[in-house]
Amino acid sequence: MVEILSLEIAEGCQLNNLINEIEKAFSCYLRMGNKYYRRGEKNIALKNYRKALKIDPDNKQKLILETCIYNTMTDLIYDMYDEAELLYKTNEYTLSLFYHTKLIAYCIETHQMYLPIIKESKKMINIILIKQGDDIYDISGDGNDYLNEF
């Protein structure tokens, strides 16, 4: 689902007012992201950070925002890894497989290369699939190992 962000601008509004409204919205989403991050609600924090970036990609606080996004994504990736490992240790192989696959997708989607985690997740996916009678090389059915590039 694509979310469209927009600001209502009154007719006859001056450019300075528009810039101020954009900066207010940016700051609001940044503050909300920080609030949710402190509460431990990292997915909601990330959504707010992304909304701020979408509203004003050239904001003077962009570097701060990008750091917040990076830190939140890092936390989410490590949280997913910990959850996947816990599920594996409790013999919840299907859920563990889901979390390992999801965290690799997160890393690829965000262009964040956590190679040790990706390699460990790849190993765990292979172990789980072998326990279930499959092999990682047969996932796509075309004979290619798409995770081998990591």
Side-chain angles (χ1 to χ4, degrees), residues 6 10 20-21 25 60-61 64 74 80 91 106 113 115 117:
S6 64
N20 288 337
E21 290 302 313
K60 61 188 175 213
Q61 296 184 61
I64 293 169
T74 300
M80 273 189 267
N91 299 326
Y106 245 57
M113 293 292 118
L115 290 178
I117 285 183

Side-chain angles (χ1 to χ4, degrees), residues 25-74:
F26 179 94
S27 294
C28 179
Y29 282 120
L30 180 57
R31 280 192 314 275
M32 286 173 42
N34 290 338
K35 178 179 85 172
Y36 283 111
Y37 183 85
R38 284 189 300 275
R39 288 184 180 172
E41 298 180 53
K42 296 170 190 156
N43 284 312
I44 298 172
L46 187 60
K47 286 179 186 178
N48 280 285
Y49 293 146
R50 286 182 172 161
K51 285 179 183 179
L53 189 59
K54 191 171 187 174
I55 278 186
D56 191 2
D58 298 320
N59 190 287
K60 61 188 175 213
Q61 296 184 61
K62 180 180 179 181
L63 184 59
I64 293 169
L65 178 64
E66 288 174 340
T67 301
C68 291
I69 291 171
Y70 178 83
N71 290 339
T72 304
M73 288 301 303
T74 300

Side-chain angles (χ1 to χ4, degrees), residues 80 83-88 90-102 128 132:
M80 273 189 267
E83 185 66 23
E85 287 300 296
L86 178 65
L87 289 164
Y88 178 80
T90 59
N91 299 326
E92 295 285 343
Y93 300 126
T94 302
L95 284 173
S96 179
L97 179 64
F98 171 76
Y99 275 95
H100 279 296
T101 305
K102 186 176 176 179
I128 293 166
Q132 295 177 338

Side-chain angles (χ1 to χ4, degrees), residues 98-112:
F98 171 76
Y99 275 95
H100 279 296
T101 305
K102 186 176 176 179
L103 86 86
I104 290 173
Y106 245 57
C107 290
I108 293 169
E109 174 192 338
T110 60
H111 308 289
Q112 295 191 41

